[in-house]
Amino acid sequence: MAVHSSAIEQAASHDRSRAMDAFKLGDRVFYWITRISAILVLVLLGGIIMSLIVGSWPAIMEFGSSFLTTQRWAPSAEPPVLGALSPLYGTILTSIIAMSIAIPVGIGIAVFLTELCPLWARGPIGMAIELLAGIPSIIYGMWGFFILGPILADTVQPFFIDLFDGVPVLGSIFGGPPSYLSLFNASLILAIMVLPFITAISRDVFTTVPPVLKEAAYGVGCTTWEVVRHVVLPYTRVGVIGGAMLALGRALGETMAVTFIIGNSFRISPSIFAPGTTISAAIASEFAESDGLHQSSLMLLGLLLFVLTFFVLAAARLMLLRLEKKAGK
Amino acid sequence: MNFFKAIAAAGLVAASASVFSVPVKAADVTGAGATFPFPVYSKWADAYKKETGHGVNYQSIGSGAGIKQILAKTVTFGATDAPLKADKLEKDGLAQWPMVMGAIVPVVNIEGVKPGELVLSGELLGDIYLGKVTKWDDPAIVKLNPSVKLPSASIAVVHRSDGAGTSFNFTNYLSKVNGEWKSKVGEGTAVEWPAGVGAKGNEGVSGNVGQTRNAIGYVEYAYAKQNKLTYTALINKAGKVVQPGVASFQAAAANADWASAPGYHVILTDQPGEASWPITAATFILMYREPSDKAASAEAIKFFKWAFEKGGVMAEELDYIPMPESVVKQIEKTWTSEIKS
């Protein structure tokens, strides 16, 4: 009996150690698969940066820091003069205008959907917003080109031009003539394109606010506006800013739709109704038929966009950190 | 002398082919380059395959990329809208010839103005694109068009935003006929446009001009025709007003001095002749003189020969212009004298 039982015990302990070994192996494999995946991202990122630097090296050597301050873009001049000022200006300006339209509207829609909208309408409206995100950007481009552009040029732009006519600074910002293809039109398309990102993320984080917090606020007599302003928004600040940053990232890099509607002109004009260009539109337009210094300068533009996006995201992180500190978390 | 040499060479080639060649499986012919001739090349390839069973695969990746591909020897032939210079051809051991032609026409969108009604000169066209002539009722335009009712509206200038052979030929023409354009802007697939907005592709420019009142643009003739845009007449080098059309395009090609241009490096703009349309453009084929894959190379030449002989009607259906007979004869001589197979 004793022998028998010890055999069982032995067998059991043997099985157990085998099973433990199997677990350990599985754990190790899992650990390494995830670790390699994570490292792969870094390697890829490094590879992209390296190839951008190598590709743009001739342009860096030729133009140096003057690349950032030159407005001329003359690839076929002898020698070529290429500067990034105009596409940089266009990229930043269109993103700023787009975000300043899309953030309030997007958050507004999200607040409406979670706080004010009758229950039966939440589904359809939410779905419509998410569908907006699924439309390919080329469709936005064509829609902007054929439909939005003419509407803006015939009604919205003349209104602003008349409204600010003769006003010192605003008069030149909203200066004529109206155009189907302009920085302003591209900004508006961008705003519509990034709207679903801001809305969908804001709505999702708004629904994470514990009902008890809101109920307490309503209980002490707060209005809906006060609840949103002092309970919902502070509680979800980090998520909302994250959504806005995702949207900004898309606005900075959006290519096809912008190329269709911005007018692709390398001249900087004080008017937002004038044609302009962005970094990604310039690359998309000219890369296929470029060579030599011209191509290298386009690569350098790509590198600049990379750096720009990096700094924007880093700034967003810093802002979030400071907000968290302030909140005492 | 050259002619006899060519015949001798041809004879030798034929003799050696009949003596030494063993029947081999037809090599696959691949080509890559210019996007402008893509519709006609693919139509030819399709018909050729049906007729002979031999496939030709053409990828439209842009002229610049086409040159890169042939230099990297990844394709049997390259295609470009902007011809290479003779010294470059010599250096890389390439042969070059024009395959088919197109033409570029200015298009406008002015209420009440019909196709072919408005007359422009090259110099005026340059001034409009320089942003110097900004109104349609500018005295310079009115002087050429006394009977056309022109509005007192700003001219909306539209150009290509993407690097393009079309832009190259257009700016080459403006450089030839407008001194200020030549010194300020020059020629190229992508230039520093002094005025206007850029639209992507021929379809972008034709879409834009079609939509924008008082606009002017320039497109391939085929796009103007298919989109029913209002093209203009132009004043050519001989000082005559010409309408765009196959006859005036072929006149430009026939009057060009191909014989004294090594590698057929002729830009078909501002050519002499009373009937010549001033902005026509040939698109070119690039092949190695001493190809590493001789079978594929010979197969490609067969295809091009077939295209010259039987492809003319197909080209015209797609609004391209076949090369004139005289030029084709010269090109066929080039093949036998330059390309070893």
Side-chain angles (χ1 to χ4, degrees):
Chain A
M1 285 294 269
V3 173
H4 187 62
S5 91
S6 94
I8 287 175
E9 257 168 31
Q10 263 177 5
S13 90
H14 183 64
D15 275 349
R16 221 176 96 190
S17 76
R18 263 209 351 222
M20 291 303 280
D21 280 350
F23 281 141
K24 240 188 214 160
L25 184 71
D27 244 17
R28 282 205 104 51
V29 169
F30 180 66
Y31 171 75
W32 277 105
I33 287 175
T34 51
R35 177 175 232 198
I36 289 170
S37 308
I39 291 172
L40 197 66
V41 171
L42 290 181
V43 171
L44 265 178
L45 199 65
I48 292 171
I49 295 175
M50 276 315 293
S51 57
L52 275 177
I53 291 175
V54 169
S56 55
W57 195 249
I60 296 174
M61 288 287 97
E62 176 75 22
F63 301 117
S65 61
S66 77
F67 190 72
L68 290 173
T69 53
T70 307
Q71 191 197 325
R72 258 190 97 191
W73 184 266
S76 55
E78 288 293 334
V81 181
L82 298 157
L85 195 59
S86 163
L88 262 179
Y89 166 80
T91 306
I92 294 169
L93 185 73
T94 51
S95 295
I96 289 174
I97 299 176
M99 297 311 287
S100 57
I101 297 170
I103 290 177
V105 174
I107 294 178
I109 297 173
V111 167
F112 176 74
L113 279 178
T114 52
E115 308 297 325
L116 300 164
C117 184
L119 275 177
W120 60 266
R122 285 184 190 185
I125 295 178
M127 192 97 89
I129 298 288
E130 272 155 30
L131 273 177
L132 273 182
I135 297 175
S137 59
I138 187 112
I139 308 283
Y140 278 107
M142 293 190 329
W143 179 73
F145 184 80
F146 286 114
I147 296 170
L148 186 69
I151 292 175
L152 291 176
D154 292 340
T155 59
V156 179
Q157 293 184 359
F159 170 75
F160 278 115
I161 292 167
D162 288 345
L163 186 66
F164 294 112
D165 190 28
V167 183
V169 180
L170 292 174
S172 56
I173 292 178
F174 296 96
S179 165
Y180 293 168
L181 309 176
S182 74
L183 286 164
F184 175 73
N185 296 6
S187 308
L188 212 60
I189 282 276
L190 278 179
I192 298 170
M193 290 179 76
V194 300
L195 194 62
F197 288 82
I198 298 173
T199 305
I201 292 176
S202 302
R203 187 195 56 187
D204 288 350
V205 293
F206 287 170
T207 55
T208 64
V209 178
V212 65
L213 286 184
K214 287 197 276 183
E215 281 156 16
Y218 282 121
V220 296
C222 287
T223 60
T224 310
W225 158 247
E226 283 164 340
V227 170
V228 170
R229 172 71 190 79
H230 297 290
V231 178
V232 176
L233 281 179
Y235 189 86
T236 56
R237 199 175 41 212
V238 174
V240 170
I241 291 175
M245 286 304 140
L246 199 67
L248 178 58
R250 174 151 194 198
L252 283 171
E254 173 49 42
T255 308
M256 270 333 287
V258 171
T259 310
F260 260 71
I261 199 175
I262 199 163
N264 300 297
S265 155
F266 284 86
R267 297 180 304 276
I268 295 179
S269 158
S271 167
I272 59 170
F273 296 149
T277 190
T278 67
I279 291 177
S280 46
I283 297 173
S285 284
E286 296 190 0
F287 198 78
E289 292 276 341
S290 65
D291 51 11
L293 205 56
H294 185 195
Q295 191 166 64
S296 177
S297 297
L298 290 171
M299 296 282 253
L300 186 50
L301 279 184
L303 186 64
L304 279 179
L305 184 60
F306 199 107
V307 172
L308 186 68
T309 317
F310 177 82
F311 274 115
V312 165
L313 291 179
R317 287 255 137 227
L318 267 179
M319 198 165 87
L320 286 177
L321 271 178
R322 286 177 73 186
L323 274 177
E324 274 170 16
K325 253 190 204 150
K326 238 190 196 167
K329 277 185 192 167
Chain B
M1 271 308 274
N2 259 337
F3 180 60
F4 290 110
K5 253 191 210 161
I7 289 191
L12 262 175
V13 168
S16 63
S18 60
V19 174
F20 299 113
S21 74
V22 280
V24 283
K25 203 174 138 268
D28 250 1
V29 176
T30 55
T35 50
F36 155 63
F38 175 67
V40 66
Y41 286 179
S42 57
K43 190 164 187 178
W44 281 343
D46 196 42
Y48 186 67
K49 173 110 185 168
K50 273 191 196 127
E51 206 176 300
T52 64
H54 298 311
V56 174
N57 175 17
Y58 182 72
Q59 299 159 8
S60 68
I61 53 175
S63 296
I67 294 170
K68 273 179 209 151
Q69 293 292 318
I70 187 78
L71 289 177
K73 303 193 178 183
T74 53
V75 288
T76 319
F77 67 91
T80 173
D81 290 339
L84 294 182
K85 296 227 166 69
D87 53 343
K88 173 87 174 141
L89 292 170
E90 199 64 46
K91 200 184 107 225
D92 294 313
L94 288 167
Q96 173 178 269
W97 67 88
M99 195 65 219
V100 69
M101 298 190 307
I104 293 153
V105 295
V107 288
V108 296
N109 179 355
I110 311 169
E111 217 179 315
V113 173
K114 289 187 270 301
E117 200 177 18
L118 193 74
V119 178
L120 293 174
S121 68
E123 196 177 359
L124 194 50
L125 204 55
D127 285 348
I128 292 173
Y129 269 84
L130 278 167
K132 275 172 68 190
V133 171
T134 58
K135 296 264 185 194
W136 277 115
D137 60 352
D138 190 282
I141 304 178
V142 173
K143 201 177 139 206
L144 287 176
N145 300 280
S147 60
V148 181
K149 203 170 157 274
L150 290 162
S152 173
S154 297
I155 303 176
V157 173
V158 183
H159 56 78
R160 287 283 289 271
S161 65
D162 45 338
T166 312
S167 290
F168 168 78
N169 287 301
F170 185 71
T171 53
N172 172 276
Y173 172 62
L174 294 186
S175 297
K176 279 181 184 169
V177 293
N178 187 312
E180 193 176 342
W181 183 273
K182 190 185 167 98
S183 62
K184 270 194 182 160
V185 184
E187 61 181 48
T189 54
V191 297
E192 183 188 18
W193 296 99
V197 298
K200 200 164 160 52
N202 275 304
E203 58 282 6
V205 173
S206 40
N208 218 323
V209 172
Q211 263 201 345
T212 315
R213 278 187 302 272
N214 304 311
I216 187 168
Y218 60 94
V219 292
E220 293 288 348
Y221 176 62
Y223 282 89
K225 219 179 141 189
Q226 281 153 22
N227 295 308
K228 301 197 169 54
L229 293 173
T230 308
Y231 53 80
T232 72
L234 280 175
I235 295 174
N236 66 14
K237 197 173 189 173
K240 292 276 188 294
V241 174
V242 278
Q243 294 286 341
V246 173
S248 62
F249 303 155
Q250 276 203 326
N255 287 321
D257 185 13
W258 297 98
S260 58
Y264 299 90
H265 190 288
V266 177
I267 309 292
L268 285 175
T269 56
D270 204 30
Q271 292 298 330
E274 295 208 336
S276 300
W277 180 253
I279 331 175
T280 48
T283 180
F284 296 80
I285 298 287
L286 292 167
M287 274 178 69
Y288 279 102
R289 291 183 195 176
E290 292 181 36
S292 47
D293 185 347
K294 291 205 165 67
S297 174
E299 199 56 47
I301 296 281
K302 262 191 220 156
F303 168 67
F304 294 133
K305 195 173 166 56
W306 175 90
F308 277 144
E309 280 163 9
K310 301 193 179 171
V313 178
M314 276 177 258
E316 280 183 31
E317 273 167 17
L318 294 170
D319 293 308
Y320 291 86
I321 304 104
M323 300 304 298
E325 199 74 27
S326 57
V327 183
V328 171
K329 279 203 181 109
Q330 227 176 309
I331 294 168
E332 288 182 339
K333 268 188 249 166
T334 305
W335 288 340
T336 42
S337 66
E338 279 190 9
I339 296 177
K340 290 187 184 162
S341 57

